[in-house]
Amino acid sequence: MHCASDRDRPTLIWLQGVTCNGNTHSFLNLPYLPQLLAKYDLLYHPLLPASSTLSEVVQCKRPCDVLVFEGAYDPLMKRHEVLLSELLDYYGMRAGHIIGVGSCASFGGMFKASAPQRNSGLIFDESESSGPLLALKNKVINLSGCPVHPEWLGYTLSMIADNKEIKVDTLHRPLELYSHLVHHGCTRNEYFEWKVDAKAFGLKEGCLFYLQGCRAPMTHASCNRILWNDVSSKTRSGTPCFGCTEPDFPRNDLFHTKTNMSIPEDVPLGVPKRSYLTITGIAKAFHIERLEGKLIDDKTAD
């Protein structure tokens, strides 16, 4: 995919559907945001300085090389008295690239859950192909996440500005960002291997998969390879991965691992349940004292 424009800089329009603005606020944390935006002619963004107003954009007379859409699609929603469907039709047809930022634009997300019969993503309704831009799906790049990682959007916009190809998976997410699991790079992996549980929320020690509802072994995202704010991730800070980049997000009871007869309902992606149970049984037979204590024990530090 390449930009259709022959201008010096590609034009970019950022529209919103049903949204909490979380992806916009995440994007504002991108360390090199000014340098990235300098590569674009930003025509409209709801918060950032741009050359056009919303009232001008809804007249559907502006050029558009890159259309960014944030939030779930609601067919009844209007922007400045113009239906979203009309705006998406006009600018979607003209854009060389369409980016769905966040899980709501990708699959429906949180706002799909609030109006399940009406709201959807741009080309997916959860995991089913459906949405207002399905006919233009070859242009669509989904950046799922609640919110999207600012570096993922920075990577995608940089690649487009440099006319580089972005390979995507079956859900139209960039392979470079979503081919790994959140489990990859998790600092708790040794606890996972030896089946040592985190007994409470927020602890530095223990694996969050068995008791705290962690979805890292089943979730495609690079959160533990590209850290948030260059510092941390949910699992590193003691919070379970909620699986927010997958089409079935949000699920109920996010801080609890669903089990059947003490066996996790979902096991690591691609691992047969019988094999998983065998390995778990063997690992639990060992007693690794080093992994069962506190990393920093105040009682013995003196």
Side-chain angles (χ1 to χ4, degrees), residues 3 53 104 107 120 137 143 167 196 224 242 262:
C3 290
T53 64
C104 291
F107 310 123
S120 72
K137 65 179 182 180
L143 297 176
K167 295 182 178 180
V196 178
N224 275 314
F242 298 149
S262 302

Side-chain angles (χ1 to χ4, degrees), residues 138-182:
N138 289 338
K139 298 182 181 182
V140 175
I141 299 170
N142 282 327
L143 297 176
S144 56
C146 187
V148 67
H149 194 308
E151 294 280 359
W152 303 348
L153 182 51
Y155 161 83
T156 303
L157 288 173
S158 295
M159 291 287 283
I160 292 172
D162 293 338
N163 279 321
K164 293 182 178 178
E165 182 183 10
I166 300 174
K167 295 182 178 180
V168 297
D169 64 13
T170 56
L171 295 172
H172 287 242
R173 302 175 298 189
L175 285 171
E176 182 68 25
L177 303 173
Y178 294 88
S179 59
H180 289 79
L181 301 175
V182 175

Side-chain angles (χ1 to χ4, degrees), residues 21-55:
N21 291 314
N23 299 288
T24 282
H25 286 281
S26 177
F27 188 46
L28 296 179
N29 286 307
L30 185 67
Y32 55 91
L33 182 61
Q35 293 86 346
L36 175 64
L37 293 179
K39 296 181 178 181
Y40 284 91
D41 181 2
L42 183 60
L43 298 188
Y44 178 73
H45 187 284
L47 294 183
L48 291 167
S51 60
S52 301
T53 64
L54 180 59
S55 62

Side-chain angles (χ1 to χ4, degrees), residues 263-284:
I263 300 171
E265 184 175 279
D266 296 321
V267 298
L269 194 65
V271 179
K273 185 166 282 189
R274 183 183 295 272
S275 301
Y276 172 78
L277 294 177
T278 299
I279 293 172
T280 298
I282 295 172
K284 282 192 170 182

